[in-house]
Amino acid sequence: MKEKSHRMEKINSLLKKEISDIILHEYEIGQDNFITISVIDTKADLSQADVYVSALKDEDKIVEALNKESGHIRHILGKKIRMKKTPKLIFKKDIFKLQI
């Protein structure tokens, strides 16, 4: 992965926090599960953000559900943060986690 600028690191950190809060408070998909957003990789032009998600169980179903709701999550995110452009959210299974 290419090294990110300080600005992009701040954006990714902000998106990670806000998306986590939205999932926790707006959706019931994680009530009996532990869902974590591990990495966010946002394009420099803010057109898209790849959101890597891990879950203790039903990870494929969680990612599928989040992708179905990505437009609504993006809408809520746009209201919560001040950015020129709110990126399109693409949820993916966490490829960075350690296999034990």
Side-chain angles (χ1 to χ4, degrees):
M1 200 184 300
K2 194 171 104 174
E3 186 159 335
K4 297 285 183 183
S5 69
H6 180 67
R7 173 182 171 263
M8 290 309 296
E9 287 178 11
K10 285 180 71 174
I11 288 170
N12 286 335
S13 178
L14 174 65
L15 291 176
K16 183 176 178 180
K17 180 195 175 304
E18 294 299 335
I19 293 170
S20 294
D21 285 347
I22 291 168
I23 292 171
L24 180 65
H25 295 103
E26 298 285 330
Y27 293 96
E28 294 181 10
I29 58 175
Q31 297 298 344
D32 63 342
N33 201 347
F34 186 72
I35 300 171
T36 304
I37 295 177
S38 55
V39 176
I40 296 188
D41 185 23
T42 307
K43 290 188 177 185
D45 65 356
L46 302 178
S47 63
Q48 178 178 317
D50 293 331
V51 182
Y52 292 93
V53 178
S54 64
L56 285 180
K57 57 185 178 181
D58 299 326
E59 191 169 64
D60 291 327
K61 289 180 183 178
I62 297 292
V63 170
E64 184 179 328
L66 289 171
N67 276 314
K68 284 182 182 176
E69 293 294 326
S70 65
H72 186 247
I73 295 170
R74 180 183 184 194
H75 176 75
I76 296 169
L77 183 64
K79 289 182 172 185
K80 292 181 82 168
I81 61 175
R82 285 186 65 112
M83 287 177 58
K84 186 175 186 176
K85 188 178 193 180
T86 305
K88 179 181 178 184
L89 304 174
I90 308 294
F91 292 91
K92 299 180 178 185
K93 279 177 61 172
D94 182 10
I95 59 171
F96 302 103
K97 68 180 173 185
L98 296 174
Q99 298 295 325
I100 299 175

